[in-house]
């Protein structure tokens, strides 16, 4: 089954407004109309409206990095999926920094995932093991727990959902997983999805790798049959690098 690769650029908590606008302009100039790969930029929430304006009719998608699960109310500082739906199409759910810096649980990830889908937004569900879990041979158990927790109560695998496998030890460290390891783990994610749901939905689901992806190593991941794109942090802050990564996935 042919899966269209998808590349996400997670800017995290970076860019002043003018820097964000410059980067959006640059990304648009470089990637407007690109075919054969889907591109999502995830700027900081305050620049989402700028991103939506500057990327409109470009074919490039705009996402947010986090969301709360309630539609509105007394939740100071939070952003609801309904609000996001006015400007963006995609949402990151369960990023490792949400889990490990802010202590988000699998149960909270589950609530966020449901809220994103209820608001007709498209989730990128991020999962991944810590260094000590990898070293202790726990990777499969951790990925299984995170996936089963995120999908608790789901009857079907949502057909627009993207899974991003991001080993925490590879994020922001320069210690990218080898292409072979990324392939093996993305295939493992797909096997777990097939067990939990069924083979056809698991085959259709796009699974990305993330963690120290750059312009040099992207082609290695693009060559892997089960790696359907990448989720990029640091290198997405540079238009030329991000363009090279996106183009590595164009068949
Ligand atoms: P880096 O590409 O900076 O390692 O970050 C990866 C990431 O966390 C993307 O969500």
């Amino acid at each position: 089954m042919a899966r269209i690769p998808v590349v996400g650029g997670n800017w995290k908590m970076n860019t002043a407004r003018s820097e964000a606008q410059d980067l959006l302009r640059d990304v648009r100039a470089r990637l407007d109309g690109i075919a054969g790969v889907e591109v999502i930029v995830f700027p900081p929430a305050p620049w989402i409206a700028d991103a939506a304006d500057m990327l409109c009719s470009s074919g490039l998608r705009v996402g947010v990095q986090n969301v709360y699960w309630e539609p509105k109310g007394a939740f100071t500082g939070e952003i609801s999926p309904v609000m996001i739906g006015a400007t963006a199409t995609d949402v990151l759910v369960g990023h490792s920094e949400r889990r490990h810096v802010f202590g988000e649980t699998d149960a909270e990830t589950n609530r966020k995932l449901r809220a994103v889908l209820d608001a007709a937004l498209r989730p990128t569900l991020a999962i991944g093991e810590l260094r000590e879990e990898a070293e202790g041979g726990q990777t499969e158990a951790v990925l299984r727990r995170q996936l089963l927790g995120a999908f608790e109560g789901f009857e079907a695998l949502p057909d627009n959902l993207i899974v991003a496998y991001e080993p925490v030890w590879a994020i922001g460290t320069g210690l990218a997983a080898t292409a072979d390891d990324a392939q093996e783990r993305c295939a493992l994610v797909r096997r777990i999805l097939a067990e939990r749901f069924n083979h056809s939905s698991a085959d259709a689901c796009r699974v990305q790798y993330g963690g120290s992806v750059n312009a040099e190593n992207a082609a290695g991941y693009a060559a892997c049959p089960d790696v359907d794109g990448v989720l990029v942090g640091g290198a997405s802050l540079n238009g030329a690098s991000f363009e090279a990564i996106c183009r590595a996935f164009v068949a």
Side-chain angles (χ1 to χ4, degrees):
M1 129 102 53
R3 295 179 295 265
I4 296 169
V6 53
V7 174
N10 175 10
W11 296 6
K12 308 193 179 183
M13 199 174 73
N14 294 296
T15 66
R17 188 175 184 189
S18 61
E19 292 168 334
Q21 290 172 334
D22 287 348
L23 184 53
L24 288 163
R25 208 171 286 114
D26 191 29
V27 165
R28 178 167 185 148
R30 292 172 180 279
L31 294 171
D32 195 358
I34 191 168
V37 63
E38 229 174 70
V39 180
I40 316 167
V41 292
F42 295 93
W47 319 146
I48 291 298
D50 284 348
D53 286 346
M54 294 177 71
L55 299 184
C56 74
S57 72
S58 69
L60 307 174
R61 300 175 69 110
V62 177
V64 295
Q65 301 169 16
N66 184 35
V67 74
Y68 193 56
W69 52 75
E70 294 290 346
K72 65 175 192 172
F75 303 103
T76 301
E78 295 295 335
I79 303 173
S80 100
V82 179
M83 295 168 181
I84 289 162
T87 41
T89 53
D90 289 63
V91 185
L92 275 179
V93 179
H95 189 276
S96 84
E97 286 140 27
R98 299 305 317 168
R99 295 176 189 266
H100 300 299
V101 181
F102 300 101
E104 274 181 25
T105 64
D106 291 324
E108 288 170 326
T109 301
N110 173 264
R111 294 188 77 169
K112 291 186 175 192
L113 202 51
R114 288 169 181 277
V116 165
L117 292 161
D118 286 348
L121 294 163
R122 196 173 71 164
T124 294
L125 170 66
I127 57 170
E129 81 285 1
L130 296 163
R131 174 189 303 282
E132 52 269 32
E133 292 167 336
E135 288 172 353
Q138 296 296 302
T139 299
E140 177 162 354
V142 171
L143 300 186
R144 192 176 295 278
R145 190 203 76 223
Q146 291 176 337
L147 285 168
L148 296 185
F151 293 121
E152 176 76 41
F154 278 56
E155 285 183 5
L157 178 61
D159 56 12
N160 57 359
L161 179 137
I162 299 162
V163 178
Y165 165 63
E166 299 201 292
V168 180
W169 47 266
I171 295 178
T173 59
L175 301 171
T178 64
D180 284 351
D181 284 348
Q183 160 60 26
E184 187 192 304
R185 302 294 146 68
C186 289
L188 169 62
V189 168
R190 204 178 303 287
R191 274 204 304 284
I192 297 170
L193 293 177
E195 280 168 29
R196 171 62 177 81
F197 297 104
N198 56 56
H199 281 282
S200 65
S201 52
D203 277 350
C205 181
R206 291 178 295 179
V207 183
Q208 297 171 312
Y209 165 74
S212 296
V213 175
N214 57 39
E216 287 71 44
N217 62 20
Y221 303 120
C224 299
D226 281 288
V227 181
D228 306 313
V230 282
L231 186 55
V232 187
S236 70
L237 295 170
N238 177 287
S241 298
F242 191 58
E243 178 188 8
I245 294 166
C246 292
R247 293 202 186 280
F249 281 88
V250 177

